[in-house]
Amino acid sequence: MTGIILCEGLTDQVLLSKYFCGRFGFAFDLKSTQKAIKLDAVEESSIYSRGKEEFLYISQAGGKSNLPPALAGILETNRLDAGVFFDYIAVITDRDSDKEAADLTEEMQKVLKNYGSMKNEQSSDWHTLNMETKGFQEKKKVRFLTIFIPLDHPGALETFLLDSLSKKKENQYIAQESVKFVDSLNHAHEDKEEAFPQGVLSSRRLRIKAPLAVFFGVTNPEGTFKRFEDFLNAVDWASYEKIHQGFQSFDCVMNGKIEE
C-alpha cells in the first residue's frame, strides 16, 4: 500500500515526518526518495517505508494555493497508473479562516470529481474516490482525507503545535506568555509600523508563526541560531495527546481497518 500526505511547506513536512515515523513505525527511505516519480505541482517529496510493501510520501506543495493543482497532479499519476499508485491521499493544511477552509474544500472537491465519483465512508472521516485508470482501464478505489489544523479554531500548524506543547504542565506558562508577548508586538505594530524593521510582523502568516518561534527561543536560547527544522526534530511529537487527536483519522488506514 502506498499513500501520500500533501501539505503546504517545510515546517509541515518536517513535523509530519517526525510524527508518522514516531507513531506508526515508518522510516525514511533514501533509495525510494531518490527514485521517486516527479509529481506535477509538488515542490518536494520524501518517502518513508514500513516493512517491504508500505510506503508513505510526505510532500509539500509550496503554499496553500498550490494544493488543488498538486492534488490534480497526484490523481493524474494515479489515472496513468504507471510506476506508482496512491491508495490513499490526505491533504493537511492551515485553518486560516472558516471561509478559506470552505473555499479550499470546494476547490479540491472539483478536482476530485474530474477523476471519478466520490462517496463518504460511514465509519471514518475518509472519502472514497472510484476512478478508472488509463493503462489497464480498471476501476480502483482511492481514499481521500482533508484535515484543517487546528481542528476547532482558526490558526496554523504552528498554533496547533504551541497548543499541544502547552498541554504539558512544564510548558504552560512560557507558551501562554509567548502568545501574550507577540500579541503586544502586533498591537504596537499597528500603532507605529515605522518602528519595526521592514517585513517584521508584516503579515497575518508571520504573526501566527511568531509565538512558537518565541517559545523555542526562550526554552532553548543557546540554540537560537539553529534552523527551525532542528527545533521541530528535537521534540517527540508522538508523545503529545493533542497531536494524536488532530491526526487520529489516520489510525484506521495505518492499522489496516479502513473500509473496503
Side-chain angles (χ1 to χ4, degrees):
M1 182 167 68
T2 299
I4 184 168
I5 296 174
L6 186 62
C7 57
E8 292 186 38
L10 177 61
T11 302
D12 312 47
Q13 190 179 27
V14 171
L15 168 73
L16 293 170
S17 64
K18 179 82 171 175
Y19 179 78
F20 280 89
C21 288
R23 178 75 189 276
F24 297 111
F26 282 88
F28 178 63
D29 192 323
L30 176 61
K31 183 177 180 181
S32 295
T33 298
Q34 291 175 333
K35 294 170 59 179
I37 293 174
K38 178 66 176 175
L39 300 168
D40 290 345
V42 170
E43 192 168 283
E44 182 184 345
S45 293
S46 293
I47 303 176
Y48 303 83
S49 58
R50 185 171 66 171
K52 295 182 178 180
E53 297 182 353
E54 288 189 73
F55 298 92
L56 175 64
Y57 284 59
I58 300 181
S59 307
Q60 56 168 306
K64 186 184 291 288
S65 62
N66 290 336
L67 290 173
L71 175 60
I74 293 166
L75 291 170
E76 183 63 21
T77 299
N78 268 9
R79 189 181 72 85
L80 296 174
D81 198 11
V84 64
F85 185 91
F86 296 103
D87 300 288
Y88 61 92
I89 303 167
V91 176
I92 299 178
T93 184
D94 296 342
R95 185 184 293 275
D96 294 321
S97 69
D98 289 339
K99 182 182 184 305
E100 288 187 24
D103 290 345
L104 181 60
T105 297
E106 184 178 352
E107 285 186 61
M108 291 191 293
Q109 289 296 320
K110 289 179 181 177
V111 172
L112 290 161
K113 288 177 181 178
N114 288 334
Y115 286 89
S117 59
M118 294 282 293
K119 77 167 186 176
N120 298 345
E121 297 192 0
Q122 296 180 353
S123 62
S124 73
D125 296 326
W126 293 82
H127 303 269
T128 298
L129 174 68
N130 293 295
M131 64 183 302
E132 184 175 294
T133 63
K134 183 177 181 181
F136 299 98
Q137 294 186 332
E138 62 177 322
K139 298 282 187 179
K140 284 194 173 184
K141 291 182 178 181
V142 181
R143 271 70 189 200
F144 179 77
L145 172 72
T146 307
I147 297 179
F148 290 94
I149 297 293
L151 299 178
D152 53 359
H153 61 85
L157 179 67
E158 288 80 4
T159 313
F160 180 57
L161 298 185
L162 191 58
D163 286 348
S164 300
L165 288 166
S166 69
K167 296 304 178 185
K168 287 194 174 180
K169 186 176 180 180
E170 65 268 26
N171 295 332
Q172 286 178 359
Y173 180 73
I174 295 176
Q176 291 167 2
E177 292 302 309
S178 296
V179 173
K180 290 179 184 178
F181 173 66
V182 174
D183 282 346
S184 68
L185 288 179
N186 288 336
H187 291 308
H189 185 276
E190 293 173 1
D191 295 333
K192 42 190 174 185
E193 182 179 342
E194 70 281 356
F196 286 75
Q198 187 173 6
V200 172
L201 299 178
S202 59
S203 69
R204 180 177 178 275
R205 174 176 171 272
L206 294 176
R207 295 177 181 192
I208 288 174
K209 290 178 178 292
L212 182 63
V214 171
F215 175 87
F216 282 131
V218 171
T219 56
N220 187 6
E222 291 185 344
T224 302
F225 297 103
K226 288 183 178 180
R227 295 179 305 165
F228 193 57
E229 180 179 351
D230 294 329
F231 284 116
L232 296 176
N233 277 325
V235 177
D236 180 14
W237 297 107
S239 69
Y240 284 82
E241 184 59 34
K242 190 172 178 67
I243 301 284
H244 294 327
Q245 293 171 3
F247 298 144
Q248 66 181 355
S249 296
F250 285 95
D251 289 352
C252 57
V253 69
M254 294 299 173
N255 296 324
K257 297 179 180 179
I258 202 162
E259 290 183 3
E260 292 296 333

